[in-house]
Amino acid sequence: MVLLQFWRNFSTTMRHLKSVKLKNVKGTSSHEWLSRQLADPYVEKAKMMNYRCRSAFKLLEIDDRFKILRPGFVVIDCGAAPGSWSQLAVKRVNSDGFDPKQAQGVVISIDKQQVFAINGATILGNMDFTDPKSQDVLIETLRGRKADAVISDMAPNATGVKDLDNENIIRLCYSVLRFAVQNSQVGASVVVKLWQCGQAKQLENDLRKFYDSVKFVKPNSSRSDSAEIFLLGRDFKGLKV
Ligand SMILES: C[S@@+](CC[C@H](N)C(=O)[O-])C[C@H]1O[C@@H](n2cnc3c(N)ncnc32)[C@H](O)[C@@H]1O
């Protein structure tokens, strides 16, 4: 009798779950999201390689092509949570000292959210990168060193209003650019994530004022149906004083 009642309740719940299409903030149903995750080879690969999320492969592709991370480099990872870019950066710049024959780099990871510890990275969690006080802490953490790469995968919370979202991500990009030009070595690189939008061209032109080589990059691991794109600046010219 109890078993029968349990089975009835279970079936009713399952029928209910099938009929309900939960919506997440981006407007994709949970079912669609789950199917996409299960079919995504990068999700599986990230698990196998112990990366905290699939985003690792975007930076990996960018670095494999453009060699912006080398042993001994100082890297600032903006919008680092949950931490896969920092995990990759640690390996590439050898900031955990894993290879004693190579120079040991530095990775500083900052995010508005908490970031769980990563061996070889200095974590600045619960800090808004755009807040001048957070940037003071970043500069203190640099202890007089200049960055070789400032990388940003930061994205604002989507409001659903496209123009506003674009404006917000562009504002984040400019705050990264401002910080990078003031705290980078000559020859350094910068990577910022943005969404393809009207302001992208202006940002590219502004980057050209400070970096000899500037280009848009869309890694294969960045979903083709996403407007996401990365702007890469290499060979920082330095600030004329
Ligand atoms: C797509 S996730 C980054 C994923 C990360 N690259 C990785 O591989 O694990 C974007 C992150 O940007 C952070 N973010 C957005 N605005 C920020 C801000 N103003 N300051 C610091 N972090 C910010 C968010 O909290 C979020 O964790």
Side-chain angles (χ1 to χ4, degrees):
M1 190 62 191
V2 174
L3 203 63
L4 188 68
Q5 189 58 42
F6 167 80
W7 178 247
R8 273 191 194 136
N9 289 346
F10 180 72
S11 312
T12 314
T13 309
M14 289 313 285
R15 264 200 310 276
H16 177 68
L17 280 177
K18 271 188 194 162
S19 67
V20 174
K21 266 201 157 187
L22 294 172
K23 294 274 178 187
N24 69 22
V25 277
K26 283 184 181 151
T28 338
S29 76
S30 302
H31 180 256
E32 278 168 82
W33 179 84
L34 190 61
S35 317
R36 195 168 73 165
Q37 287 291 102
L38 292 174
D40 185 339
Y42 293 104
V43 172
E44 199 50 42
K45 234 169 130 183
K47 268 192 236 148
M48 273 162 47
M49 294 173 76
N50 258 330
Y51 288 124
R52 292 182 183 177
C53 62
R54 71 187 293 293
S55 307
F57 297 102
K58 301 175 195 172
L59 181 62
L60 188 143
E61 282 183 55
I62 294 172
D63 189 45
D64 281 352
R65 262 180 83 188
F66 300 104
K67 312 276 180 259
I68 58 169
L69 307 173
R70 298 207 182 130
F73 273 16
V74 174
V75 179
I76 298 175
D77 181 10
C78 311
S84 77
W85 277 29
S86 291
Q87 288 178 295
L88 179 81
V90 163
K91 286 194 204 166
R92 298 262 159 131
V93 308
N94 191 37
S95 58
D96 56 357
F98 183 78
D99 184 348
K101 292 194 199 104
Q102 303 267 26
Q104 186 166 359
V106 171
V107 174
I108 305 171
S109 316
I110 181 166
D111 202 287
K112 269 199 308 201
Q113 298 181 44
Q114 188 181 2
V115 187
F116 292 104
I118 297 169
N119 185 28
T122 302
I123 306 287
L124 304 177
N126 302 311
M127 281 195 195
D128 182 340
F129 174 80
T130 61
D131 183 340
K133 286 192 213 117
S134 307
Q135 298 195 2
D136 287 346
V137 175
L138 262 176
I139 292 164
E140 262 171 48
T141 312
L142 276 169
R143 289 196 277 116
R145 293 167 294 209
K146 293 282 185 185
D148 296 287
V150 179
I151 56 180
S152 168
D153 195 20
M154 280 192 291
N157 292 333
T159 63
V161 181
K162 211 169 155 195
D163 288 348
L164 189 57
D165 290 342
N166 288 339
E167 207 177 290
N168 287 340
I169 202 161
I170 291 286
R171 200 172 301 132
L172 284 176
C173 292
Y174 275 103
S175 80
V176 174
L177 177 60
R178 229 178 347 262
F179 181 86
V181 299
Q182 285 166 3
N183 295 286
S184 294
Q185 311 253 30
V186 170
S189 306
V190 68
V191 177
V192 286
K193 173 166 83 179
L194 66 152
W195 295 310
Q196 281 149 343
C197 63
Q199 296 101 305
K201 186 75 199 152
Q202 184 59 51
L203 179 66
E204 181 193 10
N205 291 341
D206 288 333
L207 233 75
R208 285 194 193 287
K209 295 175 187 157
F210 301 101
Y211 295 83
D212 272 331
S213 164
V214 175
K215 59 171 60 168
F216 286 102
V217 187
K218 174 87 177 168
N220 292 328
S221 48
S222 173
R223 292 185 166 115
S224 52
D225 61 355
S226 154
E228 166 186 271
I229 194 148
F230 295 87
L231 190 54
L232 165 67
R234 282 176 301 158
D235 300 324
F236 175 53
K237 302 175 194 182
L239 277 187
K240 292 184 183 76
V241 277

